[in-house]
Amino acid sequence: MDLKTASAIRRLRLVSAPEAVSFLLLLVCSVLKRTTDFNAVPVMGRVHGVLFIIYLIFWLDAWFRAKWSAKTGIWYFVLSVLPTGGFFAERRLKRESEDAVIASRARKEGIVNA
């Protein structure tokens, strides 16, 4: 895996946690809208929508660059539509990104031939 692939995975990782937080806040705002006079759904809906679209763009980029299997690619998409899935995706992507950087540096230094 090269550094561009690691960067694509890192971008996806960095947007996954804020996307998950915005989803949870949108759910809270939806409950508050029904139970009180507080209505922040239009604002949080836009924020979450933008973050979700960014997540999808970065997800596609990471999928094609990392050459994930269909199972892995779909798994990261499923995690994006679950309320707390972004946190799990972030943790798994962090590990994958670190492994990619280590492998890239090892190849560059000639330690491994992969």
Side-chain angles (χ1 to χ4, degrees):
M1 198 178 296
D2 61 353
L3 287 179
K4 289 184 180 183
T5 303
S7 295
I9 293 170
R10 185 171 186 268
R11 282 191 303 270
L12 179 61
R13 179 181 72 83
L14 291 176
V15 79
S16 64
E19 190 271 335
V21 170
S22 71
F23 192 10
L24 292 174
L25 287 174
L26 180 59
L27 292 175
V28 168
C29 290
S30 297
V31 170
L32 289 175
K33 177 184 175 184
R34 304 280 188 255
T35 58
T36 66
D37 293 334
F38 183 74
N39 185 10
V41 171
V43 173
M44 278 312 302
R46 286 186 195 105
V47 169
H48 174 66
V50 168
L51 286 171
F52 185 71
I53 290 170
I54 292 170
Y55 182 94
L56 288 180
I57 292 168
F58 289 166
W59 168 71
L60 282 172
D61 184 40
W63 189 354
F64 290 122
R65 286 187 187 271
K67 296 180 177 86
W68 289 331
S69 66
K71 179 182 174 183
T72 303
I74 292 170
W75 176 246
Y76 283 121
F77 177 77
V78 168
L79 287 175
S80 75
V81 297
L82 297 175
T84 58
F87 299 117
F88 296 108
E90 192 273 335
R91 191 175 325 151
R92 190 169 168 189
L93 287 165
K94 181 179 180 184
R95 202 172 324 127
E96 190 170 337
S97 176
E98 290 170 349
D99 291 346
V101 169
I102 290 169
S104 175
R105 287 181 182 161
R107 261 193 313 279
K108 187 176 181 180
E109 295 174 5
I111 296 171
V112 295
N113 190 18

